[in-house]
Amino acid sequence: MNVQAQPVADTGVGDEDKALFEEMVRRILEQEVAPDYERWEQAHQLPRELWYRLGEAGLLGVDLPEALGGSAAGVEICLMICEEISRQGFGGLASGYNIHANIVMPYILHLGSEAQQQYWLPRMASGEVLGAIAMTEPGAGSDLAAMRSTAERVDGGWKLNGAKVFITNGQLADMVIVCAKTDPSAGARGVSLFLVDTSLPGFSRGKSIRKIGQHASDTAELFFDDLIVPDDALLGEAGKGFVYLMQELPRERLGVGAQALGAIEGALQLTLDYVQQRRAFGQRIADFQNTRFTLAEVRAQLEMGCAYFNQCLQRYAVGEMSGMDAATLKLMLSEMQCRSIDRCLQLFGGYGYTLEYPISRFYVDARIQTIYAGTSEIMKEVIARDMLGRTA
Ligand SMILES: Cc1cc2nc3c(=O)[nH]c(=O)nc-3n(C[C@H](O)[C@H](O)[C@H](O)COP(=O)(O)OP(=O)(O)OC[C@H]3O[C@@H](n4cnc5c(N)ncnc54)[C@H](O)[C@@H]3O)c2cc1C
């Protein structure tokens, strides 16, 4: 059986162009990332220069208008890059890329003023500015409305105070979208978003958080201590932060879905190769019925996941992907990723548990996918609420 690269999208760009772009992305990753990725995993950090190289190669902001430094290529190309990075086994880079190019850039494109777009996006497309988004706090993860960071109105701007945790790209970011309460008495209606330049006084970074996987992706604590940002750092309107977060969730969850599909495909390919070489009881591991059934199930799930992903992408392209679609996609694909890769690893026997075999990296990198960007339990709540209404 030979797994073909699965194009993730059916909208916009023609299939031939997409295939050409996919081939180019594959080559760039093989040249720029593959030779050094293991070293970056061990350093628990991607090198800052990598973002310049990805920018130079045209992989950042592909779906931005050309006037803002992009290639006007369509969202499906950005998602295809997420998928391909994952497929090659670079889960940590996939998360950092997803945050920078598939989340932070679209926030600015969709919500930013013309001046904000002009100021940040061309430099994000070239890799000169690396982006992050800071929602989670030590006391507010799933329950984001409990956030305690504040932004208080001062002459000519806003004064930010608070702390964030688990921020992807946090150690290297030049700009962070920070969620803070501008009206702490208004609950979810009092949250606003700010484009924070990390070189400003009052911004600091804590330690890099050690994780069980996605080692090359840095995950940091951030602190704001009487950090003054100018008026024009406010993204969109004050008090609408939560509305904006909800509005942008479909894109974020498509990114997680693309990562999941890529990782399943990459893990399946590794497994196919392995089981045809390794022998036990006088035959190939591939010849045991259990192996064949496992591979068939993973493949069948991948096809189903791909079909639902494409359906969501088509809805997204016409502005009709709902919060319910996004929750269903995120829940199903991230859970499918963890389960499928676990079953693939099993077919490697003890070798699958060693660092020598890249299937083990696929396994540890997958685990966070059911947690960040909204946990599986929160996704189920969203889906149940859609059917049953809110519980007391
Ligand atoms: C590697 C990594 C990268 C991350 N990147 C970012 C980032 O770039 N930016 C950012 O802002 N955040 C980021 N996060 C944070 C991530 O989004 C949160 O960890 C996640 O939303 C869960 O929040 P929490 O960890 O506080 O868990 P909690 O909210 O404390 O949840 C603990 C458990 O309780 C369950 N639970 C909570 N509420 C309910 C409920 N209502 N019903 C049922 N079960 C419930 C959860 O599902 C979970 O199983 C990252 C986290 C990690 C580990």
Side-chain angles (χ1 to χ4, degrees):
M1 192 160 71
N2 187 20
V3 176
Q4 298 299 319
Q6 305 287 323
V8 295
D10 284 343
T11 57
V13 183
D15 282 350
E16 219 170 280
D17 288 347
K18 221 172 350 175
L20 279 176
F21 209 94
E22 193 166 14
E23 185 47 42
M24 184 190 92
V25 172
R26 191 168 295 197
R27 239 190 8 258
I28 292 167
L29 295 174
E30 282 165 6
Q31 280 165 11
E32 299 289 345
V33 177
D36 296 310
Y37 195 74
E38 189 49 46
R39 196 160 49 78
W40 302 338
E41 283 270 290
Q42 282 167 22
H44 293 262
Q45 184 73 68
L46 293 166
R48 182 64 184 83
E49 316 79 72
L50 175 66
W51 296 100
Y52 286 99
R53 294 209 292 274
L54 296 179
E56 224 166 85
L59 300 197
L60 307 178
V62 280
D63 52 324
L64 288 183
E66 286 173 13
L68 293 169
S71 317
V75 58
E76 65 273 24
I77 299 296
C78 182
L79 292 167
M80 180 269 282
I81 298 172
C82 286
E83 185 200 25
E84 181 57 26
I85 298 173
S86 275
R87 198 191 62 80
Q88 292 199 22
F90 311 134
L93 174 59
S95 286
Y97 179 88
N98 189 26
I99 293 282
H100 176 82
N102 188 55
I103 300 176
V104 175
M105 292 174 99
Y107 263 76
I108 301 174
L109 186 66
H110 300 153
L111 307 169
S113 65
E114 209 183 316
Q116 287 170 330
Q117 292 175 0
Q118 294 286 353
Y119 184 73
W120 291 111
L121 291 176
R123 291 187 298 143
M124 291 185 78
S126 70
E128 185 188 338
V129 168
L130 177 64
I133 182 161
M135 299 174 269
T136 308
E137 299 188 359
S142 303
D143 181 12
L144 269 186
M147 78 175 65
R148 297 177 62 178
S149 292
T150 56
E152 183 193 332
R153 202 82 181 89
V154 292
D155 217 16
W158 301 84
K159 183 164 72 178
L160 270 65
N161 277 293
K164 298 286 178 182
V165 71
F166 293 139
I167 307 308
T168 302
N169 294 343
Q171 290 297 357
L172 292 179
D174 306 285
M175 188 273 290
V176 182
I177 298 181
V178 174
C179 308
K181 286 199 167 159
T182 39
D183 183 356
S185 65
R189 281 193 209 93
V191 173
S192 304
L193 307 183
F194 295 89
L195 298 169
V196 174
D197 181 335
T198 59
S199 65
L200 289 171
F203 180 91
S204 61
R205 308 172 209 254
K207 61 178 191 304
S208 273
I209 297 163
R210 288 294 172 103
K211 313 184 293 294
I212 60 170
Q214 296 203 355
H215 298 300
S217 155
D218 79 69
T219 310
E221 298 173 313
L222 304 180
F223 302 100
F224 325 116
D225 185 13
D226 286 345
L227 165 67
I228 308 272
V229 295
D231 268 337
D232 61 8
L234 179 68
L235 185 61
E237 290 174 40
K240 286 206 172 167
F242 247 89
V243 176
Y244 298 145
L245 295 181
M246 296 302 124
Q247 188 180 308
E248 296 300 316
L249 275 178
R251 177 80 186 252
E252 177 176 347
R253 292 181 178 156
L254 278 168
V256 173
Q259 285 178 249
L261 292 176
I264 298 170
E265 196 192 325
L268 183 54
Q269 187 62 61
L270 288 178
T271 312
L272 283 167
D273 293 343
Y274 185 80
V275 298
Q276 292 178 83
Q277 287 160 20
R278 177 80 176 166
R279 298 180 72 82
F281 297 97
Q283 57 182 3
R284 303 177 313 166
I285 302 293
D287 296 326
F288 295 115
Q289 189 188 52
N290 173 66
T291 305
R292 303 169 74 79
F293 281 12
T294 300
L295 294 173
E297 279 176 34
V298 171
R299 172 65 190 255
Q301 294 208 359
L302 183 60
E303 294 288 342
M304 297 290 283
C306 218
Y308 187 62
F309 180 91
N310 279 324
Q311 186 179 317
C312 284
L313 186 53
Q314 281 170 349
R315 288 184 190 156
Y316 182 83
V318 292
E320 284 177 7
M321 185 176 166
S322 67
M324 161 87 169
D325 293 329
T328 306
L329 181 78
K330 162 73 170 63
L331 173 67
M332 296 314 291
L333 292 195
S334 61
E335 293 283 347
M336 183 194 293
Q337 178 185 357
C338 289
R339 222 175 25 248
S340 300
I341 293 176
D342 180 61
R343 299 193 66 197
C344 284
L345 184 146
Q346 183 72 16
L347 296 177
F348 283 72
Y351 297 95
Y353 195 66
T354 69
L355 297 178
E356 296 291 306
Y357 283 74
I359 189 71
S360 60
R361 191 163 75 218
F362 276 91
Y363 178 78
V364 288
D365 284 357
R367 190 61 190 85
I368 186 58
Q369 287 262 98
T370 65
I371 296 172
Y372 60 15
T375 65
S376 288
E377 293 72 31
I378 295 298
M379 297 307 99
K380 289 179 192 169
E381 274 298 325
V382 172
I383 297 164
R385 212 177 289 156
D386 190 77
M387 296 185 292
L388 301 166
R390 185 180 286 276
T391 51

